[in-house]
Tab-separated table of all heavy atoms in Angstrom:
chain	number	residue	atom	x	y	z
A	93	GLU	N	0.832	-1.204	0.000
A	93	GLU	CA	0.000	0.000	0.000
A	93	GLU	C	0.871	1.261	0.000
A	93	GLU	O	0.588	2.234	-0.709
A	93	GLU	CB	-0.920	0.005	1.229
A	93	GLU	CG	-1.910	-1.150	1.287
A	93	GLU	CD	-3.106	-0.959	0.361
A	93	GLU	OE1	-3.095	-0.013	-0.453
A	93	GLU	OE2	-4.045	-1.771	0.451
A	94	ASP	N	1.947	1.237	0.792
A	94	ASP	CA	2.861	2.384	0.818
A	94	ASP	C	3.504	2.600	-0.552
A	94	ASP	O	3.694	3.737	-0.987
A	94	ASP	CB	3.953	2.169	1.875
A	94	ASP	CG	3.418	2.232	3.297
A	94	ASP	OD1	2.300	2.753	3.493
A	94	ASP	OD2	4.120	1.747	4.213
A	95	PHE	N	3.853	1.515	-1.214
A	95	PHE	CA	4.467	1.596	-2.535
A	95	PHE	C	3.517	2.241	-3.538
A	95	PHE	O	3.918	3.111	-4.334
A	95	PHE	CB	4.861	0.192	-2.991
A	95	PHE	CG	5.391	0.101	-4.389
A	95	PHE	CD1	6.635	0.608	-4.713
A	95	PHE	CD2	4.644	-0.508	-5.388
A	95	PHE	CE1	7.132	0.516	-6.006
A	95	PHE	CE2	5.135	-0.606	-6.677
A	95	PHE	CZ	6.382	-0.087	-6.993
A	96	LEU	N	2.255	1.831	-3.524
A	96	LEU	CA	1.269	2.403	-4.444
A	96	LEU	C	1.145	3.912	-4.244
A	96	LEU	O	1.071	4.685	-5.218
A	96	LEU	CB	-0.093	1.742	-4.232
A	96	LEU	CG	-0.191	0.235	-4.511
A	96	LEU	CD1	-1.579	-0.271	-4.119
A	96	LEU	CD2	0.089	-0.072	-5.970
A	97	LEU	N	1.152	4.344	-3.001
A	97	LEU	CA	0.993	5.769	-2.700
A	97	LEU	C	2.261	6.557	-3.020
A	97	LEU	O	2.196	7.671	-3.554
A	97	LEU	CB	0.604	5.952	-1.237
A	97	LEU	CG	-0.762	5.380	-0.839
A	97	LEU	CD1	-0.974	5.488	0.664
A	97	LEU	CD2	-1.880	6.091	-1.595
A	98	ALA	N	3.423	5.982	-2.698
A	98	ALA	CA	4.685	6.683	-2.961
A	98	ALA	C	4.898	6.885	-4.461
A	98	ALA	O	5.329	7.955	-4.902
A	98	ALA	CB	5.853	5.920	-2.350
A	99	ALA	N	4.600	5.859	-5.243
A	99	ALA	CA	4.769	5.977	-6.694
A	99	ALA	C	3.848	7.049	-7.267
A	99	ALA	O	4.254	7.837	-8.138
A	99	ALA	CB	4.503	4.635	-7.364
A	100	GLN	N	2.615	7.108	-6.757
A	100	GLN	CA	1.709	8.164	-7.206
A	100	GLN	C	2.209	9.529	-6.758
A	100	GLN	O	2.047	10.532	-7.471
A	100	GLN	CB	0.299	7.897	-6.688
A	100	GLN	CG	-0.362	6.691	-7.338
A	100	GLN	CD	-1.736	6.394	-6.759
A	100	GLN	OE1	-2.717	7.069	-7.081
A	100	GLN	NE2	-1.801	5.381	-5.905
A	101	GLY	N	2.856	9.566	-5.590
A	101	GLY	CA	3.441	10.811	-5.113
A	101	GLY	C	4.533	11.342	-6.022
A	101	GLY	O	4.793	12.546	-6.072
A	102	LEU	N	5.184	10.435	-6.759
A	102	LEU	CA	6.210	10.834	-7.719
A	102	LEU	C	5.620	11.134	-9.101
A	102	LEU	O	6.371	11.396	-10.054
A	102	LEU	CB	7.275	9.737	-7.852
A	102	LEU	CG	8.216	9.544	-6.656
A	102	LEU	CD1	9.212	8.425	-6.944
A	102	LEU	CD2	8.962	10.839	-6.344
A	103	GLY	N	4.296	11.050	-9.221
A	103	GLY	CA	3.651	11.416	-10.472
A	103	GLY	C	3.251	10.269	-11.368
A	103	GLY	O	2.770	10.489	-12.489
A	104	HIS	N	3.425	9.043	-10.907
A	104	HIS	CA	3.038	7.897	-11.730
A	104	HIS	C	1.554	7.593	-11.519
A	104	HIS	O	1.088	7.498	-10.383
A	104	HIS	CB	3.877	6.666	-11.355
A	104	HIS	CG	5.337	6.857	-11.575
A	104	HIS	ND1	5.924	6.850	-12.820
A	104	HIS	CD2	6.345	7.083	-10.686
A	104	HIS	CE1	7.229	7.051	-12.701
A	104	HIS	NE2	7.517	7.193	-11.421
A	105	PRO	N	0.786	7.380	-12.581
A	105	PRO	CA	-0.650	7.136	-12.428
A	105	PRO	C	-0.937	5.743	-11.878
A	105	PRO	O	-0.154	4.813	-12.093
A	105	PRO	CB	-1.174	7.265	-13.860
A	105	PRO	CG	-0.008	6.867	-14.718
A	105	PRO	CD	1.211	7.383	-14.001
A	106	TYR	N	-2.054	5.624	-11.201
A	106	TYR	CA	-2.502	4.302	-10.753
A	106	TYR	C	-3.088	3.565	-11.952
A	106	TYR	O	-3.878	4.116	-12.725
A	106	TYR	CB	-3.549	4.418	-9.656
A	106	TYR	CG	-3.995	3.063	-9.146
A	106	TYR	CD1	-3.209	2.338	-8.270
A	106	TYR	CD2	-5.189	2.494	-9.594
A	106	TYR	CE1	-3.595	1.089	-7.824
A	106	TYR	CE2	-5.590	1.237	-9.159
A	106	TYR	CZ	-4.783	0.545	-8.275
A	106	TYR	OH	-5.170	-0.706	-7.840
A	107	ASN	N	-2.706	2.300	-12.105
A	107	ASN	CA	-3.173	1.490	-13.228
A	107	ASN	C	-3.868	0.240	-12.689
A	107	ASN	O	-3.223	-0.612	-12.088
A	107	ASN	CB	-1.997	1.079	-14.121
A	107	ASN	CG	-2.447	0.413	-15.416
A	107	ASN	OD1	-3.596	0.006	-15.553
A	107	ASN	ND2	-1.529	0.288	-16.364
A	108	PRO	N	-5.177	0.110	-12.892
A	108	PRO	CA	-5.893	-1.051	-12.370
A	108	PRO	C	-5.683	-2.328	-13.184
A	108	PRO	O	-6.019	-3.411	-12.721
A	108	PRO	CB	-7.359	-0.619	-12.422
A	108	PRO	CG	-7.402	0.353	-13.573
A	108	PRO	CD	-6.086	1.076	-13.539
A	109	ASP	N	-5.128	-2.199	-14.411
A	109	ASP	CA	-4.983	-3.383	-15.272
A	109	ASP	C	-3.798	-3.195	-16.213
A	109	ASP	O	-3.894	-2.497	-17.226
A	109	ASP	CB	-6.267	-3.613	-16.077
A	109	ASP	CG	-6.180	-4.843	-16.976
A	109	ASP	OD1	-5.251	-5.652	-16.797
A	109	ASP	OD2	-7.049	-4.985	-17.861
A	110	PHE	N	-2.689	-3.849	-15.890
A	110	PHE	CA	-1.491	-3.752	-16.725
A	110	PHE	C	-1.667	-4.450	-18.074
A	110	PHE	O	-0.852	-4.255	-18.983
A	110	PHE	CB	-0.290	-4.371	-16.011
A	110	PHE	CG	0.154	-3.607	-14.788
A	110	PHE	CD1	0.243	-4.241	-13.557
A	110	PHE	CD2	0.480	-2.262	-14.879
A	110	PHE	CE1	0.672	-3.543	-12.432
A	110	PHE	CE2	0.898	-1.555	-13.753
A	110	PHE	CZ	0.992	-2.202	-12.527
A	111	ASN	N	-2.693	-5.277	-18.210
A	111	ASN	CA	-2.958	-5.993	-19.457
A	111	ASN	C	-4.118	-5.385	-20.225
A	111	ASN	O	-4.682	-6.036	-21.104
A	111	ASN	CB	-3.251	-7.471	-19.155
A	111	ASN	CG	-2.096	-8.164	-18.473
A	111	ASN	OD1	-0.973	-8.142	-18.970
A	111	ASN	ND2	-2.356	-8.781	-17.319
A	112	GLY	N	-4.448	-4.160	-19.907
A	112	GLY	CA	-5.586	-3.506	-20.531
A	112	GLY	C	-5.187	-2.410	-21.503
A	112	GLY	O	-4.337	-2.608	-22.372
A	113	VAL	N	-5.763	-1.224	-21.316
A	113	VAL	CA	-5.577	-0.106	-22.245
A	113	VAL	C	-4.116	0.314	-22.313
A	113	VAL	O	-3.579	0.574	-23.386
A	113	VAL	CB	-6.452	1.089	-21.837
A	113	VAL	CG1	-6.200	2.286	-22.748
A	113	VAL	CG2	-7.921	0.695	-21.860
A	114	ARG	N	-3.465	0.388	-21.174
A	114	ARG	CA	-2.079	0.835	-21.133
A	114	ARG	C	-1.326	0.059	-20.066
A	114	ARG	O	-1.920	-0.484	-19.126
A	114	ARG	CB	-2.004	2.338	-20.825
A	114	ARG	CG	-2.675	2.710	-19.508
A	114	ARG	CD	-2.648	4.209	-19.232
A	114	ARG	NE	-3.499	4.556	-18.097
A	114	ARG	CZ	-3.122	4.479	-16.828
A	114	ARG	NH1	-1.903	4.053	-16.540
A	114	ARG	NH2	-3.953	4.812	-15.863
A	115	GLN	N	-0.016	0.028	-20.213
A	115	GLN	CA	0.795	-0.686	-19.229
A	115	GLN	C	1.404	0.253	-18.197
A	115	GLN	O	1.599	-0.127	-17.049
A	115	GLN	CB	1.913	-1.459	-19.937
A	115	GLN	CG	2.692	-2.394	-19.011
A	115	GLN	CD	3.921	-2.988	-19.677
A	115	GLN	OE1	4.822	-2.272	-20.094
A	115	GLN	NE2	3.961	-4.310	-19.777
A	116	ASN	N	1.709	1.494	-18.594
A	116	ASN	CA	2.452	2.360	-17.690
A	116	ASN	C	1.631	2.729	-16.461
A	116	ASN	O	0.414	2.845	-16.499
A	116	ASN	CB	2.921	3.636	-18.422
A	116	ASN	CG	1.758	4.440	-18.978
A	116	ASN	OD1	0.937	3.928	-19.725
A	116	ASN	ND2	1.681	5.709	-18.615
A	117	GLY	N	2.342	2.891	-15.346
A	117	GLY	CA	1.706	3.235	-14.087
A	117	GLY	C	2.018	2.232	-13.007
A	117	GLY	O	2.766	1.271	-13.204
A	118	VAL	N	1.455	2.466	-11.824
A	118	VAL	CA	1.665	1.600	-10.668
A	118	VAL	C	0.359	0.910	-10.317
A	118	VAL	O	-0.722	1.487	-10.470
A	118	VAL	CB	2.191	2.418	-9.464
A	118	VAL	CG1	1.142	3.419	-8.967
A	118	VAL	CG2	2.637	1.510	-8.322
A	119	GLY	N	0.447	-0.338	-9.878
A	119	GLY	CA	-0.767	-1.052	-9.531
A	119	GLY	C	-0.501	-2.444	-9.011
A	119	GLY	O	0.656	-2.863	-8.874
A	120	ILE	N	-1.573	-3.147	-8.740
A	120	ILE	CA	-1.520	-4.525	-8.260
A	120	ILE	C	-1.421	-5.462	-9.463
A	120	ILE	O	-2.155	-5.306	-10.442
A	120	ILE	CB	-2.777	-4.865	-7.440
A	120	ILE	CG1	-2.909	-3.910	-6.246
A	120	ILE	CG2	-2.729	-6.310	-6.959
A	120	ILE	CD1	-1.761	-3.957	-5.267
A	121	MET	N	-0.523	-6.426	-9.382
A	121	MET	CA	-0.368	-7.389	-10.470
A	121	MET	C	-1.378	-8.526	-10.325
A	121	MET	O	-1.625	-9.002	-9.213
A	121	MET	CB	1.048	-7.975	-10.454
A	121	MET	CG	2.139	-6.958	-10.705
A	121	MET	SD	3.794	-7.692	-10.787
A	121	MET	CE	4.013	-8.236	-9.086
A	122	GLN	N	-1.938	-8.949	-11.439
A	122	GLN	CA	-2.760	-10.148	-11.420
A	122	GLN	C	-1.851	-11.378	-11.487
A	122	GLN	O	-0.718	-11.312	-11.959
A	122	GLN	CB	-3.744	-10.141	-12.584
A	122	GLN	CG	-4.829	-9.087	-12.425
A	122	GLN	CD	-6.145	-9.520	-13.022
A	122	GLN	OE1	-6.212	-9.961	-14.162
A	122	GLN	NE2	-7.212	-9.399	-12.248
A	123	HIS	N	-2.371	-12.494	-10.980
A	123	HIS	CA	-1.591	-13.723	-10.884
A	123	HIS	C	-2.388	-14.905	-11.401
A	123	HIS	O	-3.626	-14.872	-11.445
A	123	HIS	CB	-1.196	-13.998	-9.421
A	123	HIS	CG	-0.232	-13.010	-8.855
A	123	HIS	ND1	-0.591	-11.724	-8.537
A	123	HIS	CD2	1.084	-13.130	-8.522
A	123	HIS	CE1	0.453	-11.089	-8.050
A	123	HIS	NE2	1.474	-11.915	-8.032
A	124	THR	N	-1.674	-15.961	-11.779
A	124	THR	CA	-2.345	-17.172	-12.252
A	124	THR	C	-2.670	-18.075	-11.069
A	124	THR	O	-2.096	-19.146	-10.900
A	124	THR	CB	-1.485	-17.924	-13.282
A	124	THR	OG1	-0.169	-18.110	-12.751
A	124	THR	CG2	-1.403	-17.165	-14.576
A	125	TYR	N	-3.571	-17.596	-10.236
A	125	TYR	CA	-4.182	-18.466	-9.237
A	125	TYR	C	-5.619	-18.043	-9.031
A	125	TYR	O	-6.030	-16.943	-9.388
A	125	TYR	CB	-3.409	-18.521	-7.920
A	125	TYR	CG	-2.986	-17.210	-7.284
A	125	TYR	CD1	-3.879	-16.396	-6.622
A	125	TYR	CD2	-1.654	-16.822	-7.307
A	125	TYR	CE1	-3.472	-15.236	-6.000
A	125	TYR	CE2	-1.232	-15.651	-6.698
A	125	TYR	CZ	-2.150	-14.862	-6.038
A	125	TYR	OH	-1.735	-13.693	-5.435
A	126	GLY	N	-6.387	-18.963	-8.488
A	126	GLY	CA	-7.804	-18.714	-8.278
A	126	GLY	C	-8.393	-19.848	-7.472
A	126	GLY	O	-7.673	-20.686	-6.920
A	127	LEU	N	-9.690	-19.888	-7.398
A	127	LEU	CA	-10.360	-20.881	-6.560
A	127	LEU	C	-10.309	-22.269	-7.199
A	127	LEU	O	-10.780	-22.476	-8.320
A	127	LEU	CB	-11.819	-20.478	-6.322
A	127	LEU	CG	-12.043	-19.281	-5.400
A	127	LEU	CD1	-13.525	-18.972	-5.295
A	127	LEU	CD2	-11.446	-19.536	-4.016
A	128	TRP	N	-9.714	-23.211	-6.492
A	128	TRP	CA	-9.698	-24.631	-6.845
A	128	TRP	C	-10.103	-25.387	-5.579
A	128	TRP	O	-9.427	-25.288	-4.557
A	128	TRP	CB	-8.306	-25.097	-7.276
A	128	TRP	CG	-7.796	-24.491	-8.546
A	128	TRP	CD1	-7.060	-23.351	-8.672
A	128	TRP	CD2	-7.989	-24.987	-9.865
A	128	TRP	NE1	-6.772	-23.122	-9.995
A	128	TRP	CE2	-7.330	-24.099	-10.746
A	128	TRP	CE3	-8.645	-26.106	-10.386
A	128	TRP	CZ2	-7.307	-24.296	-12.124
A	128	TRP	CZ3	-8.616	-26.290	-11.758
A	128	TRP	CH2	-7.960	-25.397	-12.609
A	129	ASN	N	-11.200	-26.108	-5.650
A	129	ASN	CA	-11.674	-26.844	-4.466
A	129	ASN	C	-11.794	-25.928	-3.250
A	129	ASN	O	-11.323	-26.246	-2.164
A	129	ASN	CB	-10.736	-28.014	-4.152
A	129	ASN	CG	-10.690	-29.027	-5.272
A	129	ASN	OD1	-11.699	-29.289	-5.916
A	129	ASN	ND2	-9.510	-29.590	-5.516
A	130	ARG	N	-12.388	-24.776	-3.475
A	130	ARG	CA	-12.728	-23.809	-2.433
A	130	ARG	C	-11.545	-23.014	-1.892
A	130	ARG	O	-11.708	-22.190	-1.000
A	130	ARG	CB	-13.462	-24.484	-1.258
A	130	ARG	CG	-14.805	-25.096	-1.643
A	130	ARG	CD	-15.524	-25.734	-0.477
A	130	ARG	NE	-14.791	-26.873	0.055
A	130	ARG	CZ	-14.170	-26.868	1.211
A	130	ARG	NH1	-14.155	-25.781	1.950
A	130	ARG	NH2	-13.543	-27.944	1.651
């Protein structure tokens, strides 16, 4: 959380999806895991 805020403090935009419209910016990375057997 501190990293997300510090990067925005330096002028980098928040990016909700690095695999979407644009890659540049700071954000949470998606991962190849999900619900398997609950």
Side-chain angles (χ1 to χ4, degrees):
E93 298 282 9
D94 291 343
F95 175 71
L96 297 175
L97 295 174
Q100 291 177 77
L102 289 180
H104 299 285
Y106 182 78
N107 189 345
D109 181 13
F110 293 124
N111 300 306
V113 176
R114 58 182 170 84
Q115 188 189 61
N116 60 305
V118 66
I120 301 299
M121 297 184 293
Q122 290 213 310
H123 293 72
T124 51
Y125 49 76
L127 289 178
W128 294 91
N129 298 324
R130 297 181 296 109

